Every structure is written in C-alpha cells, then in structure tokens.
C-alpha cells in the first residue's frame, strides 16, 4: 500500500501490524500507520484539506515538552537492557530489499541537545544496524542534530542521543518541520504539544545524559562517537543504502557512528517503521511542508494562497501544487511570487505547479487538465537554474544536464497553470446543474 513513487501497480493500503515476527516473540512491527492522508487527518482530529492549517494552528499554540518522573517507572522503560548487549537479538530492524546495506530503523526519532547552548532538536534519520552495539546515522547536509554533532566533535566529545520509536503521530509530524519555520535551536516537540494541547512528556535516559519520549514503545540510547565514520554497506558491499523517498535505492554513504549503550521498551513493544518511497513519507514530510509554504506566503500576501498539496510524486518534498486566487488584475504575477516564496520556505522543493481556485489540488487528473488547457510551455514556465536542492534526486548531476555544476544542484521550475486574469471568462468550466440522486422525481 505504498503508493507513488513505488513501481505500479500501487494503492494506498491499510496500516499493517505484524504480530508473529520470526525470532522476536515479544516484539511486534507496525508499518503504514500514516500512509493514508485520511487516516492521518483522523489521528490529528482534522480533515484532508485542513491538515496543513491544523499544523499552523499548533505552531501558534506551542507548548514546551516537560521532563516527568514516574514513581513506578516510565512506560518506555518497563524493560531495560544495558550494555553489553546485542541490538540485533533485541529488535527486529527490517531489511527492505535484497540490495539494502543492512537492516534499518527508519522511524526512529533522534533527539539530542546542542553541547554549547543546551537547545534540543528532534529529527528522523535512516539508522543502519552495523553490529551488536553500532548504528550508522545518515545526515543530509545542514540537519540540526548534525550541527550538534559537529560542535561536540570539535570538542573531542561524544554526542549523547536517544532514538524513540512507536510514537504519537503528532510527534512524528511535528518533527518533520524544517527551516525557516523551525530554525536552529527550535524544539519541534513544542509543535507536537500544540497539536495535542498538552506537553510531550520526556524522561531521563538510563545510560547517557539525554532525554527520550517517555511514552515511546522503544528507546535506543547511545552516543555519536567523535571522528568515527563507517560506510553503511560495510557488511554487505552492495553499494546501496536502502529505498529512499524518490523511489530509487539510495547510495551507501560514509556516516557517523552511534555506540548503543542501552535499549529500553514497554512490555510486548511495537517497533514502528516506514518504507522509504510511498504515502507514509509523503504525509510525514509533505504536510509540514504545506504548512510552512502557507505561512510564508500568507505573511507576504494575505488571502491569495488558498491551499497547498505536497504531491505524492515528489515524495512530499520535491513537488508542490499551489491553489492561488486572483482577486483583481493587480494580482496577476503574484502567483509566481507565491511560487518563489514557496522555494524560499522549503529549500528542497524542486517543482511548483500553480493552479486556480476551481482546480482540485488533490486530484491529479484535475491538475493535469489545468496544465493541458491553461498552460503554454514557452510563456507559462519559469526556470531557476543552479540552485541547491535535495541530494537524493538522481537527475541532479552534471551527467544529466550541462547546466548542473555538481551533484545536488538543480533547475527549479515553476509551471504556471493559472488563467490570465483578463481572460478568465474564456476559461469558465461548463456549468452543469447539481443533481440530488436521493430525491425522487
């Protein structure tokens, strides 16, 4: 049930709980919980169309997390395994394809604190199991916890971390906000608090000076070792990491190393995971992206941008559809300004499709209809060359285009599928009458 960009045929399927995992009689595995936008809306008390606005309200009503002392022990620490340990025998980290570098934890919420300021950050990164007590962690350049790691490494010190799995969906979605909405030093758990209107509960780790999500199903404690690097595929030599959100296998990287110092969990815990390409990543990455774009555009031109959809084909990161309303001839051109603002709001965005208010942005047929009948390539396209984008897009290479100077640089593109305001009467849809099928004639 992964959906685009997994190879067809695809469909959005149910969440799946595996209750009989070979070799792990006491651990269950959950995948696909947020793979449906409808299910995600239900879990947040929202609707499909209102999801980004729900997150925006949470941004305005943030509540800071709080560290809690549990008299009978935190829920995530009902069972405690301290080093020396073998994480491979404790937790069933999934291997997704025959080409994977190894087993991965894909939905672990990494939490760390800035060694200089004490400010906290939470993010989700791919974590490859490399032995009994070692994980590699892949950071896209610029990630905040990687900045904390760099600071600690300069001091010659390890960076204490916690990895929490099996969480309230509000926490996972809040953690996927990115700059400029959440700059360095911004604790995304405050947004999760805003979504639930109560603080996220933290608990002190048992083996390192770090904090974990108190009501997580599973917590891995450890420290990122200074100066130590390891290739993700050191044990397999596949050259690949795992299937990533654009729909392709990611290349194995040389990554920082986490030394695991403890594993804690609930009785009969649920290990939550995610398949790289597909609707679950789209929702986790895309809905916060939509909220960020809405906020920045609304601040610069109130009332024009009606909604945003981070489309599945872009994995929630590369492609955004903006529904823009032109109220007068003076709004002509502002739709393209909104697209430029979207690129500023989310640096990893590659393509923006602009449509009018009568186009259903969640219906790809409707969007392509607008691109077919309200778009002329020579006058409706804006190219922005030589801009840094997300490194996992395989087309961002000098081999693909001579305009690209090095890997990771892209040509960002605006597809303006809006009707020129002066011609709007020519583009009115055929006016069919509404029919009530429940009424007897």
């Amino acid at each position: 049930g992964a959906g685009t960009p997994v190879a067809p045929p695809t469909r959005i399927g149910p969440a799946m709980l595996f209750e009989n995992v070979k070799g792990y009689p006491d651990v269950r595995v959950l995948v696909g919980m947020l793979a449906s936008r409808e299910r995600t809306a239900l879990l947040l008390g929202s609707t499909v169309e209102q999801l980004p606005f729900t997150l925006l309200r949470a941004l305005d009503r943030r509540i800071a997390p709080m560290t809690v002392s549990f008299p009978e022990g935190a829920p995530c620490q009902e069972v405690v395994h301290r080093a020396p340990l073998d994480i491979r025998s404790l937790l069933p980290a999934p291997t997704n394809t025959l080409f994977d570098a190894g087993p991965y934890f894909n939905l672990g919420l990494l939490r760390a604190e800035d060694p200089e300021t004490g400010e906290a950050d939470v993010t989700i990164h791919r974590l490859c199991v490399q032995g009994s007590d070692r994980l590699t962690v892949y950071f896209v350049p610029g990630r905040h916890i990687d900045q904390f790691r760099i600071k600690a490494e300069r001091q010659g010190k390890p960076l204490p971390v916690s990895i929490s799995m099996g969480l309230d969906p509000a926490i996972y979605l809040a953690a996927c906000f990115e700059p400029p909405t959440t700059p360095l030093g911004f604790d995304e758990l405050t947004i999760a608090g805003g979504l639930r209107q109560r603080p996220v509960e933290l608990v002190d780790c048992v083996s390192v000076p770090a904090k974990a999500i108190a009501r997580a199903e599973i917590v891995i404690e450890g420290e990122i070792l200074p100066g130590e690097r390891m290739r993700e595929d050191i044990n397999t030599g596949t050259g690949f990491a795992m299937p990533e959100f654009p729909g392709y296998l990611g290349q194995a990287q040389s990554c920082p190393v986490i030394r695991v110092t403890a594993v804690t969990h609930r009785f009969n815990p649920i290990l939550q995971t995610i398949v790289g390409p597909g609707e679950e990543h789209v929702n986790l990455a895309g809905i916060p992206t939509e909220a960020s774009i809405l906020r920045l555009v609304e601040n610069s031109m109130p009332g024009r941008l009606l909604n945003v959809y981070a489309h599945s084909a872009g994995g929630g990161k590369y492609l955004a559809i903006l529904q823009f309303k032109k109220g007068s001839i003076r709004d002509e051109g502002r739709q393209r300004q909104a697209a430029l603002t979207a690129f500023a709001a989310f640096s990893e965005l590659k393509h923006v499709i602009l449509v009018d208010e009568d186009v259903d942005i969640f219906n790809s047929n409707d969007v392509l209809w607008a691109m077919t009948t309200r778009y002329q390539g020579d006058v409706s396209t804006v190219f922005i060359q030589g801009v840094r984008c997300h490194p996992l897009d395989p087309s961002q290479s000098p081999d693909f285009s001579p305009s690209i100077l090095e890997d990771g640089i892209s040509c960002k593109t605006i597809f303006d599928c809006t009707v020129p305001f002066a011609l709007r009467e020519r583009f009115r849809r055929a006016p069919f009458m509404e029919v009530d099928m429940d009424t007897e004639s």
Side-chain angles (χ1 to χ4, degrees):
T4 305
V6 174
T10 64
R11 66 181 181 87
I12 297 175
M16 299 183 71
L17 180 66
F18 297 87
E19 299 188 276
N20 298 292
V21 182
K22 292 181 180 179
Y24 302 89
D26 298 324
V27 184
R28 296 163 289 168
V29 175
L30 172 66
V31 66
M33 175 59 72
L34 300 175
S36 156
R37 195 175 178 101
E38 289 78 9
R39 191 157 58 241
T40 303
L42 176 67
L43 291 168
L44 292 186
S46 184
T47 66
V48 167
E49 295 79 13
Q50 285 294 311
L51 273 168
F53 299 97
T54 299
L55 265 64
L56 281 177
R57 286 191 292 273
L59 269 170
D60 293 331
R61 302 188 300 168
R62 298 191 299 273
I63 297 177
M66 61 183 295
T67 303
V68 178
S69 177
F70 293 85
E72 299 181 1
C76 70
Q77 295 171 349
E78 291 176 340
V79 180
V80 177
H81 306 272
R82 299 176 184 268
L85 53 77
D86 189 341
I87 195 170
R88 298 168 299 185
S89 66
L90 297 175
L91 300 174
T95 302
N96 294 277
T97 78
L98 296 175
F99 296 96
D100 282 19
Y104 276 88
F105 298 113
N106 284 343
L107 209 49
L109 187 79
L110 196 66
R111 186 185 186 277
E113 296 179 0
D114 188 316
E116 295 176 355
T117 68
E119 294 171 326
D121 189 83
V122 290
T123 40
I124 302 168
H125 303 280
R126 71 186 190 212
L127 301 159
C128 188
V129 179
Q130 300 294 358
S132 60
D133 64 349
R134 292 292 192 273
L135 306 172
T136 49
V137 52
Y138 172 63
F139 293 110
V140 172
R143 291 294 188 254
H144 292 167
I145 290 182
D146 196 33
Q147 299 305 305
F148 299 170
R149 177 197 63 80
I150 291 170
K151 290 182 179 183
E153 193 165 87
R154 287 173 181 162
Q155 300 172 8
K157 297 178 180 178
L159 180 69
V161 298
S162 68
I163 302 162
S164 300
M165 291 181 279
L167 306 174
D168 180 345
I171 295 175
Y172 279 128
L173 280 159
C176 292
F177 270 97
E178 296 187 15
T181 305
T182 53
L184 185 65
F186 188 105
D187 188 349
E188 292 86 354
L189 291 181
T190 61
I191 305 174
L195 281 167
R196 296 305 190 202
Q197 280 301 289
R198 61 178 183 271
V200 175
E201 295 177 337
L202 303 175
V203 65
D204 290 325
C205 292
V206 302
S207 63
V208 291
K211 298 181 187 300
I213 308 300
R215 298 191 182 277
E217 292 283 321
I218 298 168
V219 175
I220 300 172
E221 302 179 5
E223 50 190 16
I224 302 178
L225 302 175
E228 189 167 334
R229 302 290 184 273
M230 185 183 296
R231 276 191 62 83
E232 290 176 283
D233 65 340
I234 190 171
N235 295 309
T236 59
T238 65
F240 297 106
M242 49 163 274
E244 277 286 4
F245 72 88
Y248 304 96
L249 289 168
Q251 299 295 314
Q253 303 291 329
S254 178
C255 298
V257 176
I258 299 174
R259 182 175 70 88
V260 177
T261 55
V263 173
T264 72
H265 57 79
R266 294 173 181 255
F267 296 121
N268 195 21
I270 298 173
L271 190 154
Q272 193 169 355
T273 188
I274 184 174
V275 177
E279 294 296 322
E280 192 156 28
H281 187 281
V282 168
N283 291 326
L284 281 169
I287 298 167
T289 297
E290 296 161 9
S292 296
I293 292 172
L294 281 165
R295 163 162 284 202
L296 214 56
V297 175
E298 179 66 17
N299 288 344
S300 61
M301 53 181 88
R304 270 85 168 186
L305 186 61
L306 302 182
N307 211 340
V308 180
Y309 174 42
H311 196 282
S312 301
K317 285 180 175 283
Y318 290 166
L319 172 61
I321 303 168
L322 275 59
Q323 187 184 51
F324 193 89
K325 181 178 181 179
K326 299 175 187 176
S328 71
I329 192 66
R330 293 180 179 275
D331 285 335
E332 192 61 62
R334 288 186 182 273
Q335 76 277 12
R336 299 188 181 189
Q337 182 184 344
L340 294 172
T341 304
F343 286 131
F346 195 66
S347 63
E348 296 173 342
L349 186 59
K350 181 182 180 183
H351 291 159
V352 170
I353 300 175
L354 295 162
V355 297
D356 296 298
E357 66 266 31
D358 65 333
V359 175
D360 181 356
I361 61 175
F362 301 103
N363 184 327
S364 294
N365 284 341
D366 218 30
V367 173
L368 289 175
W369 170 81
M371 181 173 280
T372 302
T373 66
R374 300 179 175 184
Y375 170 87
Q376 288 291 327
D378 59 336
V379 296
S380 304
T381 316
V382 179
F383 299 111
I384 310 168
Q385 293 180 311
V387 185
R388 179 68 61 177
C389 200
H390 194 283
L392 292 178
D393 177 0
S395 71
Q396 295 175 163
S397 165
D399 298 336
F400 198 95
S401 170
S403 71
I404 297 175
L405 299 179
E406 67 168 338
D407 290 343
I409 290 177
S410 188
C411 176
K412 302 198 174 193
T413 308
I414 301 170
F415 301 88
D416 188 353
C417 305
T418 63
V419 173
F421 187 81
L423 302 178
R424 63 192 184 281
E425 291 300 322
R426 187 186 302 175
F427 290 85
R428 292 194 182 276
R429 293 185 185 234
F432 294 98
M433 293 178 62
E434 293 291 333
V435 178
D436 185 352
M437 300 298 291
D438 295 327
T439 302
E440 295 183 4
S441 58

